[in-house]
C-alpha cells in the first residue's frame, strides 16, 4: 500500500517545493536590457566620426600655505560600523543553571514537522519576538532526525551564526537530557538596545 504524500499542484510541486522555488526566484536579478540600434534597409552607413581631444593649457600652481591636519578627539569621531559578534557556546555554569531551571527557560519552540526553510523562518520570528519581550533564555527543540542526522538540527548552528540573528542571540548549546538532549538547544538572547 502506497503512502499518500503531500498534495501537489498542476505542475507537480508540493507546497514546500513551491515555497523553495519562490525563495530562489526572488533572489534572481534580471539583467538590464539595451535597446538595439535601429537599422533601416537600403540606408547608407554614416561616416565614421573621429574625435580629437583638445589640449587645454594647465594653469600654474598657486602657492598656498600647507595645512596641518588635526585628528578630532576620540569622543567626536564616528564609531565604525563593527559587525556584531557571532554567538558563542554558553559557559558551563550558565548551562548548568538552565538545566536545573535556576535560570528560567522563558519560552519554547518545537520545530518538528517543519521543512528546512519554514523552520528557519519560524525560528527567526520566535527569537526576535522573545528578545523584544525581554526574555533571556529559551529552548529550541529541533529533534534528532533519523540516525541523529536531522536536517533542522544540522542547520541550527548555521542559522545561529547568520547575520539576521547576530544581534539577537548571545549564545547557544545542546540542552540537558531532561529538556531534549541532542534534539534540543538552550539559546540565550541579548538585551534589546
Amino acid at each position: 500500500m502506497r503512502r499518500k504524500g503531500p498534495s501537489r499542484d498542476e505542475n507537480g510541486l508540493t507546497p514546500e517545493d513551491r515555497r523553495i522555488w519562490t525563495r530562489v526566484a526572488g533572489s534572481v536579478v534580471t539583467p538590464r536590457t539595451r535597446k538595439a540600434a535601429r537599422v533601416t534597409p537600403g540606408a547608407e552607413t554614416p561616416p565614421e566620426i573621429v574625435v580629437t581631444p583638445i589640449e587645454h593649457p594647465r594653469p600654474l600652481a598657486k602657492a598656498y600655505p600647507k595645512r596641518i591636519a588635526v585628528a578630532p578627539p576620540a569622543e567626536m569621531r564616528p564609531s565604525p560600523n563593527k559587525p556584531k559578534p557571532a554567538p558563542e557556546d554558553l559557559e558551563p555554569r550558565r548551562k548548568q543553571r538552565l538545566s536545573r531551571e535556576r535560570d528560567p527557560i522563558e519560552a519554547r519552540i518545537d520545530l518538528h514537522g517543519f521543512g528546512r526553510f519554514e523552520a528557519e523562518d519560524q525560528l527567526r520570528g520566535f527569537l526576535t519576538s522573545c528578545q523584544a519581550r525581554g526574555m533571556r533564555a529559551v529552548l529550541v527543540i529541533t529533534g534528532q532526525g533519523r540516525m541523529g542526522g536531522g536536517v533542522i538540527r544540522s542547520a541550527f548552528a548555521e542559522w545561529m551564526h547568520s547575520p539576521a540573528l547576530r544581534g539577537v542571540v548571545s549564545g547557544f548549546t545542546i540542552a540537558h537530557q531532561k529538556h531534549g538532549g541532542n534534539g534540543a538547544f538552550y539559546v540565550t538572547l541579548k538585551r534589546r538596545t
Side-chain angles (χ1 to χ4, degrees):
M1 184 167 131
R2 293 181 67 180
R3 262 175 66 179
K4 186 176 180 182
S7 62
R8 296 182 180 272
D9 63 5
E10 64 275 356
N11 295 326
L13 299 175
T14 64
E16 181 69 14
D17 293 339
R18 177 68 59 199
R19 179 176 168 71
I20 292 169
W21 176 250
T22 304
R23 238 182 172 180
V24 170
S27 67
V28 176
V29 178
T30 57
R32 291 180 64 189
T33 57
R34 295 183 184 166
K35 289 186 176 180
R38 180 173 285 178
V39 178
T40 56
E44 292 184 21
T45 57
E48 280 191 40
I49 300 172
V50 179
V51 178
T52 57
I54 301 173
E55 290 189 31
H56 296 287
R58 291 182 73 186
L60 296 174
K62 294 182 182 177
Y64 289 108
K66 291 189 176 184
R67 294 183 184 178
I68 300 172
V70 178
E75 59 269 5
M76 292 180 67
R77 280 186 226 141
S79 62
N81 251 349
K82 290 188 260 181
K84 295 178 180 155
E88 300 174 357
D89 287 337
L90 292 183
E91 64 269 5
R93 289 192 182 264
R94 180 75 192 265
K95 180 179 177 179
Q96 189 178 43
R97 288 194 312 264
L98 286 168
S99 67
R100 293 180 180 172
E101 296 183 13
R102 290 192 178 137
D103 282 354
I105 297 171
E106 298 170 291
R108 302 167 194 262
I109 185 171
D110 189 348
L111 300 175
H112 281 99
F114 291 111
R116 184 181 195 275
F117 295 113
E118 192 175 7
E120 182 180 5
D121 293 342
Q122 292 287 329
L123 178 65
R124 188 176 297 149
F126 171 74
L127 293 176
T128 53
S129 69
C130 287
Q131 182 195 32
R133 288 185 272 164
M135 296 181 184
R136 301 287 291 141
V138 296
L139 180 68
V140 178
I141 302 167
T142 60
Q144 294 183 18
R146 291 191 180 127
M147 308 293 273
V151 174
I152 296 173
R153 184 178 182 276
S154 62
F156 186 79
E158 177 188 333
W159 296 342
M160 292 292 105
H161 289 95
S162 71
L165 290 178
R166 283 191 177 193
V168 177
V169 176
S170 65
F172 66 97
T173 189
I174 295 174
H176 187 270
Q177 195 61 39
K178 71 180 179 181
H179 290 129
N182 288 334
F185 292 88
Y186 296 127
V187 179
T188 56
L189 305 174
K190 294 179 180 178
R191 291 189 195 281
R192 191 162 186 194
T193 55

